Amino acid sequence: MSWIKNLLSKYQALTPPEAYIKTCISKAIEEVTGISIDDKAIVLKGNTIFVKERHGVKATIFMERGRILKIANSELKERQFSDIR
């Protein structure tokens, strides 16, 4: 019985890929701007990141989008983004 538990323990910590990507993007935004963004405020469509936040926050993110994209793309090797809106 313990071998089944050991086998299933490998899969216990798996998270959906989109959730992991959103977490990496929010960490990159926080690292560059110092603004904490909830993962629910990030929408991924194709190779574009959409941020659903207040205008002031979006303006700050837009001004630093080059650095944010560089950090996020270096962390996410399997999926690359080209724009933040």
Side-chain angles (χ1 to χ4, degrees), residues 12-71:
Q12 185 176 15
L14 289 179
T15 58
E18 189 168 315
Y20 172 73
I21 292 170
K22 288 181 177 184
T23 302
C24 289
I25 292 168
S26 67
K27 285 181 183 178
I29 291 171
E30 187 171 3
E31 182 179 328
V32 172
T33 64
I35 299 170
S36 180
I37 300 289
D38 188 11
D39 293 349
K40 295 175 185 174
I42 297 172
V43 178
L44 308 172
K45 290 187 181 177
N47 60 352
T48 305
I49 302 166
F50 293 92
V51 179
K52 308 290 184 186
E53 276 291 333
R54 299 181 314 267
H55 295 293
V57 173
K58 286 174 73 170
T60 305
I61 291 170
F62 186 75
M63 288 180 3
E64 298 291 340
R65 71 178 172 182
R67 290 176 47 203
I68 293 168
L69 287 171
K70 187 176 181 180
I71 291 171

Side-chain angles (χ1 to χ4, degrees), residues 19 28 45-46 60 75 82-83 85:
K45 290 187 181 177
T60 305
E75 209 170 305
S82 62
D83 196 16
R85 295 185 187 174

